[in-house]
Amino acid sequence: MYTPILPLVLGYKKWNTLLWWYVMAGFATDMIAGHVLKPMGFTIEWLSNLYMLVNFALLTLYVGQPLNKQKKLKLYIVAGAVAIVFSVYCIQHSVFLFNGMGLSLLNFTCMLFGMYALYCMLEELRVEKLQQSEYFWANVSFIIYNSGNFLLFLFHDYLLAEKKEILILLWAYILFSMNIIDRIILAIALTRKKP
């Protein structure tokens, strides 16, 4: 829950960037869910669905920033279509229920966007030293974090119904581990130069 503090603090000089606000959105959502809604007895599934949609939009905008107009347009069209499918699925199955399939779709798309961004980066050879690029590290973070979440959310509904103990263990170990790794890599990204 508090893992976003590391990238937010280390990247404080970039508080006005899209990547910093991407991290802040996650932190704010965790704080609202864990310290306001849960203690008051409210469900947080609707907040998870909303957060993932906002997270997806911020990630898409970030990935699209350095791309040329043609690549950016393709990225935004795909993102728009995926966001519409996710929203329709949420509305059909209730925004107040955890949307495992829809969330796995968003995570899979984010993972693909991260890979696409790295491909474009290498294709255009914009950066001499990849390890010094904020964009490189951010996209590595997107790929790693979303690949783990994709699998967990894909099987969430099945595991919840059939093997709840396994789901709890996977959630505790995989999701929390992915959060920590993601925040460390985002902290690296926020201390690097722009591409």
Side-chain angles (χ1 to χ4, degrees):
M1 181 181 298
Y2 298 102
T3 57
I5 292 174
L6 178 68
L8 292 173
V9 169
L10 291 178
Y12 75 95
K13 290 181 182 177
K14 294 186 177 182
W15 71 269
N16 59 346
T17 65
L18 201 50
L19 185 60
W20 194 88
W21 284 101
Y22 167 83
V23 177
M24 179 53 93
F27 183 58
T29 302
D30 286 347
M31 292 298 103
I32 292 168
H35 294 293
V36 177
L37 297 178
K38 271 188 177 178
M40 294 177 73
F42 292 106
T43 62
I44 61 167
E45 284 76 10
W46 66 270
L47 185 60
S48 296
N49 292 327
L50 177 63
Y51 163 69
M52 281 302 293
L53 198 55
V54 169
N55 178 61
F56 179 68
L58 290 173
L59 185 144
T60 301
L61 291 172
Y62 180 80
V63 167
Q65 278 180 333
L67 301 179
N68 65 41
K69 286 184 181 181
Q70 185 180 8
K71 289 179 181 177
K72 192 181 291 193
L73 180 62
K74 288 178 185 176
L75 183 81
Y76 292 164
I77 289 171
V78 170
V82 169
I84 289 169
V85 168
F86 174 79
S87 299
V88 168
Y89 189 83
C90 272
I91 291 167
Q92 284 181 334
H93 294 88
S94 177
V95 295
F96 298 104
L97 296 175
F98 188 83
N99 184 357
M101 290 300 288
L103 293 174
S104 67
L105 171 67
L106 290 182
N107 285 126
F108 183 72
T109 308
C110 289
M111 182 180 62
L112 290 180
F113 284 0
M115 288 190 281
Y116 179 67
L118 291 181
Y119 169 77
C120 291
M121 218 177 153
L122 293 173
E123 181 184 52
E124 296 169 12
L125 295 173
R126 288 191 320 253
V127 178
E128 226 174 89
K129 294 183 180 179
L130 286 178
Q131 69 272 20
Q132 293 301 318
S133 169
E134 170 195 304
Y135 192 69
F136 169 77
W137 285 107
N139 283 292
V140 167
S141 163
F142 300 155
I143 293 166
I144 292 172
Y145 179 72
N146 287 293
S147 61
N149 284 354
F150 161 68
L151 291 173
L152 185 61
F153 293 153
L154 183 64
F155 297 109
H156 177 273
D157 296 340
Y158 167 76
L159 290 172
L160 185 62
E162 302 293 327
K163 309 274 184 185
K164 192 172 182 179
E165 318 78 48
I166 293 175
L167 177 64
I168 292 168
L169 287 173
L170 289 173
W171 199 274
Y173 291 107
I174 291 180
L175 188 66
F176 293 145
S177 298
M178 294 306 249
N179 276 336
I180 292 167
I181 292 167
D182 177 57
R183 298 323 186 254
I184 290 169
I185 296 172
L186 286 171
I188 294 169
L190 284 165
T191 60
R192 297 298 188 252
K193 295 183 248 178
K194 286 242 179 210

